[in-house]
Amino acid sequence: MASAIHPGTAVDAAALNARAARRRAWQRNITGYLFVAPNLIGFLLFTLAPVLFSLVVAFSDWNLFKGIGGMEFVGWRNFTALFHDVWFIDSLKNNLFYTMATIPALMILSLVVAVILNDRVYGRVIIRAMFFIPYIANIVAICAVWLLLYNPAHGVINQFLTGLGIASPPQWLASTQWALPAIMIMTIWGGIGYNSVLYMAGLQSIPRSLYESAEIDGASAFGKLWHITIPMLSPTIFFLLITNIIYSFQVFGPINILTQGGPGRATTVIAYYIYLSGFRYFKMGPASAMAWFLMIVIFGVTLVQWRGQKKWVNY
Amino acid sequence: MKLLRNFSARLPFGSNAGRKVAFKSLGTVIMAVLGLAMLVPFFWMISTSLKIQGDVYKFPVEWFPKLPQFGNYKTVWLDQDPPFFIYYWNSIKIAVICVIGDLITSSLAAYAFARLQFKGRDQLFLLYLVTMMIPFQVLMVPQFMLFRWMGIYNTHWALILPRLFTPLGTFLLRQYFLTVPFELSEAARVDGASEFRTFWQIVLPLAKPALASLAILSFVWRWNDYEGPLIFLTNRQLYTVPLGLTNFIDEAGNQQDTLIMAASVSAFLPILIVFLLGQKYFIEGITAGSVKG
């Protein structure tokens, strides 16, 4: 300020101001980095570095017990070998079947539940909690129960089916044909709560006036659902579709607890086969190659949907 | 449908409002029955945990055992090796440390991403968003090797350390911090408060609902975590509740279903209580991520 009184020092003042501005910017940056640092350091060490290292392992032949020195670069071999591995191919097929059958059922059932719960019941919060509880329960506890319910000889489900007059009900987890569907039924049961809670949040944001004007025009209940609810819910539908696909490609707990991928290979899915290769057979190279394959699929699906959403999502 | 309409038309209170009430009551009954049906596996779990083994597969199901066997719980909690309360202690310890640590690091980072200007901020945040999609399957092999190298494989640190810094926590809190009026921080700055004081005394207290959401979500996830402990722990004394339960299932075979169910109820009950107490925050937490995509 004082320098402005003497015209000769105007240049110095400008330089001084510039320096002050740089100092402020520097301080701002430092403050920002200090705030981020605790999280960022952990993130770099436990997430980013491992991801990059995993890529190195994916291109190597390496047995856990040889130490880092025993690592050998093998190029694309781990990846090409995957497609000659019947276990991998079957786990891919099983996973696709699981994904494509589970998600539509899950998303449609949940939408119905959400629409009814949203403004067609009393005591919404209590009923919503009933549907939601399977989602928060421990997966091991859930599997323990379903394991008994699915018991082919004297489980509740088959005793009930026999009671209905079905002479030879499915052998469920013991049958190559029914093991995966059994797990899918359990998954759908467990996921309805989560999906419908998200739908309900989306439904809350649809303006009532849209329905009122549609009613004046004499729209039917189905017409309102099809022309108002579903288009207005499209961001939620889109979000659920992505997250459901991502989760379904990572299904592991139920498989490991209920069937260990069996009978035969009937319920071997990708996440389970990665675990098997890495931590049962200690083949870290192929396990990492598969994990990267899985990650690329997940990123690919997300990317395709992000592009596709422009066509059908109304924000 | 038609039957219902005829019925409601005959009700004393005017036709339109009456029909609405009738429909809503019908909806309530149907959904309550379906909701209870969703819970049947849990009812079965509880009732089986109180039976003797011989009655487990009786059909029709005996929902209320004549002589409830509360001793099953005692057997599970105290007479096993290791007893169930060890698993409880391990799970509680890990979950609580993870929740507190995650709240600290995530709220600091989220504050920077939401309310501070610094070079590379948006690129860094984008990196955080992308990594939220990385599946655990990619991380488990390198983390396993990292933990062995650090000497923390087969210790609780292997479960705690990576969970103290979650991109998801950062993301959730950032979304909330953006909604706190910026004029408040501006006023604090004019008064000469440091950035940390603004964060600690002004923004953080206003973000209590978001912190509660993250705390409860993160507690439930840590408590239920299955794959992490499965890979990083081998010492049974260190097992968490889900892993202890799996171990129990494997060992008990199908001769001790009642005990397995008692153990399952024990694993499920704490999380049910946490959820029922904090239902509002839990639901807000899982919906917060989706509303803005």
Side-chain angles (χ1 to χ4, degrees):
Chain A
M1 284 301 143
S3 63
I5 305 167
H6 308 286
T9 54
V11 178
D12 292 358
L16 220 63
N17 275 340
R19 206 184 300 160
R22 268 206 304 276
R23 234 180 91 89
R24 272 200 303 275
W26 187 77
Q27 264 179 345
R28 264 210 322 254
N29 285 346
I30 290 294
T31 314
Y33 296 141
L34 282 178
F35 269 91
V36 175
N39 197 286
L40 184 64
I41 292 169
F43 168 72
L44 292 177
L45 186 61
F46 294 109
T47 305
L48 208 61
V51 168
L52 297 178
F53 188 54
S54 160
L55 191 61
V56 176
V57 179
F59 286 98
S60 325
D61 179 18
W62 184 54
N63 184 304
L64 184 66
F65 301 110
K66 285 189 205 150
I68 299 283
M71 214 158 162
E72 202 182 313
F73 181 74
V74 294
W76 290 94
R77 204 180 70 196
N78 288 332
F79 288 91
T80 49
L82 289 183
F83 295 93
H84 302 287
D85 180 350
V86 284
W87 278 80
F88 177 73
I89 291 167
D90 274 10
S91 63
L92 203 58
K93 279 186 198 158
N94 289 338
N95 223 142
L96 281 175
F97 174 58
Y98 175 86
T99 301
M100 293 201 289
T102 310
I103 292 179
L106 185 56
M107 290 187 66
I108 292 168
L109 285 174
S110 307
L111 181 62
V112 174
V113 169
V115 167
I116 299 175
L117 281 190
N118 194 46
D119 60 2
R120 290 174 178 81
V121 299
Y122 300 104
R124 188 163 63 102
V125 173
I126 297 168
I127 301 181
R128 182 181 69 180
M130 291 176 177
F131 280 87
F132 198 77
I133 283 170
Y135 176 77
I136 54 144
N138 194 299
I139 185 67
V140 184
I142 285 179
C143 288
V145 179
W146 283 84
L147 200 59
L148 301 184
L149 296 180
Y150 273 138
N151 186 309
H154 34 247
V156 175
I157 293 176
N158 274 4
Q159 295 211 47
F160 179 71
L161 291 177
T162 318
L164 285 182
I166 296 169
S168 51
Q171 297 294 294
W172 300 115
L173 298 168
S175 123
T176 47
Q177 201 185 346
W178 282 98
L180 200 52
I183 292 174
M184 283 155 47
I185 291 169
M186 195 186 89
T187 307
I188 293 169
W189 166 80
I192 287 180
Y194 173 78
N195 280 261
S196 42
V197 158
L198 288 196
Y199 275 134
M200 283 163 76
L203 288 171
Q204 297 287 325
S205 66
I206 303 177
R208 289 225 151 244
S209 57
L210 284 179
Y211 292 106
E212 281 155 12
S213 54
E215 270 158 29
I216 292 167
D217 295 343
S220 65
F222 181 77
K224 281 186 281 184
L225 181 73
W226 190 250
H227 292 290
I228 300 174
T229 309
I230 289 178
M232 292 299 285
L233 268 186
S234 55
T236 308
I237 296 175
F238 163 72
F239 175 83
L240 282 176
L241 191 60
I242 292 187
T243 41
N244 283 331
I245 291 179
I246 292 178
Y247 285 143
S248 77
F249 273 107
Q250 293 181 57
V251 58
F252 172 79
I255 308 283
N256 193 42
I257 300 164
L258 292 176
T259 60
Q260 273 98 47
R265 287 193 289 270
T267 57
T268 304
V269 289
I270 296 179
Y272 181 73
Y273 190 45
I274 294 173
Y275 167 77
L276 210 59
S277 307
F279 295 97
R280 288 287 166 83
Y281 308 146
F282 302 110
K283 293 193 288 190
M284 296 303 187
S288 300
M290 273 187 278
W292 268 81
F293 175 84
L294 173 67
M295 185 155 81
I296 289 163
V297 169
I298 287 174
F299 274 79
V301 166
T302 313
L303 213 66
V304 167
Q305 288 188 336
W306 269 114
R307 286 166 155 262
Q309 70 154 335
K310 292 200 183 91
K311 288 188 199 127
W312 57 275
V313 173
N314 303 295
Y315 275 109
Chain B
M1 227 47 144
K2 205 169 176 185
L3 197 78
L4 190 83
R5 231 171 260 159
N6 289 337
F7 169 69
S8 62
R10 256 181 263 136
L11 288 173
F13 36 87
S15 67
N16 211 352
R19 197 184 301 161
K20 262 207 174 120
V21 170
F23 263 121
K24 213 166 167 179
S25 308
L26 183 72
T28 308
V29 171
I30 293 174
M31 294 316 276
V33 168
L34 286 177
L36 286 173
M38 293 287 286
L39 298 179
V40 162
F42 296 108
F43 297 140
W44 195 81
M45 177 164 95
I46 295 167
S47 111
T48 306
S49 76
L50 296 170
K51 286 179 186 172
I52 52 167
Q53 180 63 32
D55 288 347
V56 171
Y57 292 113
K58 254 192 192 162
F59 195 83
V61 177
E62 199 177 79
W63 292 101
F64 298 97
K66 278 181 211 93
L67 281 172
Q69 305 290 312
F70 291 104
N72 289 342
Y73 283 88
K74 186 184 159 283
T75 313
V76 167
W77 273 73
L78 302 175
D79 304 345
Q80 301 291 316
D81 180 41
F84 220 72
F85 73 82
I86 299 263
Y87 303 144
Y88 253 72
W89 169 240
N90 292 336
S91 275
I92 289 171
K93 184 179 105 184
I94 291 170
V96 168
I97 296 176
C98 286
V99 168
I100 294 172
D102 194 16
L103 283 178
I104 295 171
T105 70
S106 295
S107 62
L108 283 165
Y111 182 79
F113 284 128
R115 305 179 75 92
L116 298 178
Q117 299 288 334
F118 60 94
K119 224 176 145 194
R121 181 189 74 171
D122 296 339
Q123 291 85 337
L124 197 58
F125 187 64
L126 187 69
L127 185 67
Y128 266 65
L129 283 185
V130 171
T131 43
M132 282 198 330
M133 285 195 298
I134 295 175
F136 179 66
Q137 283 71 27
V138 171
L139 295 172
M140 61 191 195
V141 168
Q143 279 189 351
F144 173 78
M145 299 188 300
L146 179 70
F147 295 155
R148 277 171 59 105
W149 176 75
M150 290 170 76
I152 59 169
Y153 170 72
N154 196 20
T155 71
H156 285 158
W157 288 112
L159 299 176
I160 294 169
L161 277 178
R163 310 291 199 199
L164 298 179
F165 323 92
T166 63
L168 188 70
T170 309
F171 173 75
L172 279 178
L173 293 180
R174 173 190 175 266
Q175 299 305 88
Y176 198 86
F177 286 164
L178 284 174
T179 65
V180 176
F182 279 77
E183 293 78 18
L184 289 176
S185 334
E186 213 42 63
R189 220 166 278 148
V190 171
D191 289 347
S194 70
E195 203 58 62
F196 184 77
R197 250 188 95 178
T198 316
F199 160 74
W200 187 253
Q201 295 193 331
I202 296 176
V203 178
L204 213 52
L206 288 172
K208 270 181 198 151
L211 296 173
S213 288
L214 178 59
I216 194 170
L217 274 179
S218 148
F219 186 87
V220 171
W221 286 332
R222 294 299 82 86
W223 183 275
N224 284 341
D225 187 13
Y226 168 65
E227 209 168 356
L230 179 71
I231 288 167
F232 300 134
L233 297 180
T234 54
N235 182 351
R236 285 166 146 215
Q237 298 291 332
L238 298 179
Y239 277 7
T240 55
V241 169
L243 207 53
L245 185 55
T246 340
N247 190 41
F248 197 59
I249 296 170
D250 290 343
E251 285 193 354
N254 45 18
Q255 293 314 307
Q256 294 182 304
D257 296 329
T258 56
L259 297 186
I260 292 175
M261 288 300 103
S264 300
V265 173
S266 307
F268 168 57
L269 223 49
I271 221 66
L272 179 69
I273 293 168
V274 168
F275 170 72
L276 291 178
L277 289 177
Q279 191 187 168
K280 182 169 158 271
Y281 294 114
F282 192 95
I283 303 267
E284 270 165 20
I286 62 162
T287 50
S290 78
V291 174
K292 287 275 168 192

